[in-house]
Amino acid sequence: MATTTLSAEKDPMGAAISDYFNHHRADRLRVFSSQFEEDEIPVKELFRSIQSMPILERTALQMATGRILDVGAGSGCHALALQEMGKEVCAIDISPLSVEVMQQRGVNDPRLINLFDETFTETFNTILMLMNGSGIIGRLNNMPGFFQRMKRILRPGGCILMDLAGDYYGEIDFQMQYKDVKGDTFDWLYIDFQTLSLYASECGFKAELVKEGKHYDYLVKLSIA
């Protein structure tokens, strides 16, 4: 698993987020994969309010307690919603432009850091991994390393809340482009609940299916067994 952050020259999602925040519009954020046709991410959706978030995301935000870590925070929409609820949140992302936007939008504690950077040693009661949260694990053989890392930064009695899309499961390679800013190819993991539960159990965690969506998507709570 990568432990680094991005440079601005290799940060297409951050460039799109910055454009939308500063100009209230953005061009196409294009997504390429060797396994799928070209797609795009609607940048406006990265700025959604809690009212327009899917039920699984809203449920996760309501369940989050104590000191919360928002992983892959993007434009800060989840962090801002948590702050409005009076909750304490640290929002991290590997995108420097996204972190700048979070600061400008009023996120209290935004950080440019990679979740797997061993120098990041703070601990949390809730770790939020929303919008296909398993993606950053990258590959199935990274699962033991992921759970080992979680044990270091989870406080006793804490949990990970992760929502996952379910119409496709597997290991994907992705690359993004925004205008002339092209990122490097990266691995992304979509995992079904049964497989996730199996890995969790082998690594000393318990997986609880909290809620299922209408399109094979689901919200899971992971805690140390």
Side-chain angles (χ1 to χ4, degrees), residues 159-171:
C159 71
I160 307 154
L161 294 170
M162 188 186 286
D163 73 330
L164 302 105
D167 54 351
Y168 178 88
Y169 297 124
E171 299 171 338

Side-chain angles (χ1 to χ4, degrees), residues 175-187:
Q175 186 175 30
M176 292 186 191
Q177 182 172 352
Y178 181 74
K179 296 181 177 176
D180 59 351
V181 180
K182 198 164 194 174
D184 292 329
T185 302
F186 58 93
D187 293 324

